[in-house]
């Protein structure tokens, strides 16, 4: 089983602060994705990273794939209340697995 | 473009009863997935179809769960009999891919069916 552990599990911050969410595994993945899920809805894909060391930016969100393709991070700059949600990483290896999730609350 | 449709949105049943969920993927999407998401956790893949064939059902509890996609379009997931621990949101997703690829294509998720087993 390829487990993807995310940290922190819960995060509550003030609007305007920066934050980083981590996604770690002992297994190598051919690709890794990040999703955001809002209450009552399904996850929505934010980004796919494929190459070790790859960095992708999506407005205030920066995603990085570890050099060894075992881990990833999501950094949000100047968080806004609209960023509130459950952030999920998902890895594609022998099988496709979602991580344990990070619940983010941004307080206005 | 219409998204992934799921019904019902909510279902409450008693343990040992049966329940079925329906999913209609985005038109033209060859691959369909069913996930189980327990509160506070990430989704767990139950079964993946490519057209009407099963690609991966290794995490499907086959003694009580079954799924079919007879015509390669919509799909049903059934639980018979339900247990308390089956209380979860059941998500359906679809993707365009017509063949396995090295990287995961974009999956489009439906809103899910929230099941409560009493």
């Amino acid at each position: 089983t390829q487990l993807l552990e995310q940290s922190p599990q819960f995060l509550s911050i003030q609007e305007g602060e920066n934050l980083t969410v981590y996604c770690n595994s002992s297994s190598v993945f051919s690709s890794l994705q990040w999703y955001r899920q809002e209450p009552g809805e399904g996850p929505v894909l934010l980004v796919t990273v494929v190459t070790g060391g790859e960095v992708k930016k999506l407005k205030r969100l920066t995603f990085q794939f570890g050099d060894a393709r075992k881990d990833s991070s999501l950094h949000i700059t100047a968080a806004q209340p609209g960023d509130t949600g459950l952030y999920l990483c998902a890895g594609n290896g022998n099988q496709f697995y979602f991580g344990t999730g990070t619940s983010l609350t941004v307080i206005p | 473009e219409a998204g992934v449709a799921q019904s019902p949105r909510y279902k409450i049943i008693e343990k040992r009863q049966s329940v079925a969920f329906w999913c209609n993927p985005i038109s033209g999407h060859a691959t369909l997935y069913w996930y189980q998401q327990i509160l506070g956790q990430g989704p767990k893949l139950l079964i993946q179809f490519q057209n009407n064939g099963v690609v991966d059902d290794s995490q499907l509890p086959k003694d009580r769960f079954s799924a079919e996609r007879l015509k390669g379009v919509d799909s049903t997931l059934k639980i018979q009999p339900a247990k308390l621990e089956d209380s979860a949101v059941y998500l359906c997703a679809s993707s365009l891919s017509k063949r396995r690829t090295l990287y995961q294509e974009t999956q489009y998720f439906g809103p899910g069916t929230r099941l409560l087993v009493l």
Side-chain angles (χ1 to χ4, degrees):
Chain A
T1 301
Q2 297 170 301
L3 287 178
L4 281 164
E5 295 286 340
Q6 289 185 236
S7 61
Q9 185 177 1
F10 298 97
L11 190 55
S12 182
I13 62 171
Q14 294 290 331
E15 182 177 359
E17 292 184 347
N18 302 332
L19 66 114
T20 302
V21 176
Y22 300 93
C23 173
N24 295 294
S25 175
S26 58
S27 301
V28 176
F29 294 98
S30 58
S31 66
L32 195 139
Q33 296 180 322
W34 283 92
Y35 291 78
R36 181 170 66 212
Q37 184 177 21
E38 298 187 16
E41 299 182 9
V44 175
L45 179 66
L46 297 173
V47 75
T48 300
V49 285
V50 179
T51 307
E54 182 176 3
V55 176
K56 282 192 174 180
K57 292 190 175 183
L58 183 66
K59 296 183 180 178
R60 294 176 293 101
L61 279 59
T62 302
F63 305 87
Q64 184 163 8
F65 201 11
D67 291 341
R69 289 184 289 129
K70 293 183 178 181
D71 55 85
S72 181
S73 64
L74 158 60
H75 182 80
I76 301 179
T77 304
Q80 298 178 0
D83 295 329
T84 294
L86 179 67
Y87 287 82
L88 296 158
C89 63
N92 190 41
N94 294 329
Q95 290 179 299
F96 183 70
Y97 288 93
F98 274 93
T100 49
T102 295
S103 180
L104 170 66
T105 301
V106 181
I107 303 166
Chain B
E1 180 182 78
V4 176
Q6 290 189 247
S7 67
R9 291 296 310 275
Y10 305 92
K11 190 74 177 178
I12 301 174
I13 62 173
E14 294 187 348
K15 60 182 179 183
R16 291 188 288 274
Q17 285 187 324
S18 301
V19 65
F21 311 126
W22 175 81
C23 173
N24 190 23
I26 293 173
S27 177
H29 280 197
T31 307
L32 185 146
Y33 315 77
W34 281 103
Y35 291 87
Q36 179 193 59
Q37 185 174 24
I38 293 173
L39 186 64
Q41 299 181 16
K44 181 182 82 170
L45 179 65
L46 294 176
I47 189 167
Q48 177 182 346
F49 292 95
Q50 186 99 338
N51 296 307
N52 60 352
V54 176
V55 172
D56 183 356
D57 64 355
S58 57
Q59 298 192 87
L60 185 73
K62 298 179 185 64
D63 58 334
R64 297 184 300 106
F65 286 65
S66 64
E68 60 183 13
R69 193 185 184 199
L70 293 176
K71 297 182 179 179
V73 181
D74 55 355
S75 175
T76 56
L77 175 69
K78 297 179 182 178
I79 307 175
Q80 181 179 9
K83 292 185 176 181
L84 297 177
E85 58 262 36
D86 297 333
S87 295
V89 176
Y90 291 84
L91 294 164
C92 178
S94 69
S95 66
L96 187 61
S97 61
K98 292 178 171 58
R99 60 181 177 86
R100 295 294 294 273
T101 56
L102 288 178
Y103 61 91
Q104 193 69 17
E105 284 199 347
T106 299
Q107 294 183 50
Y108 296 87
F109 284 81
T113 296
R114 187 176 300 275
L115 173 67
L116 179 60
V117 182
L118 302 175

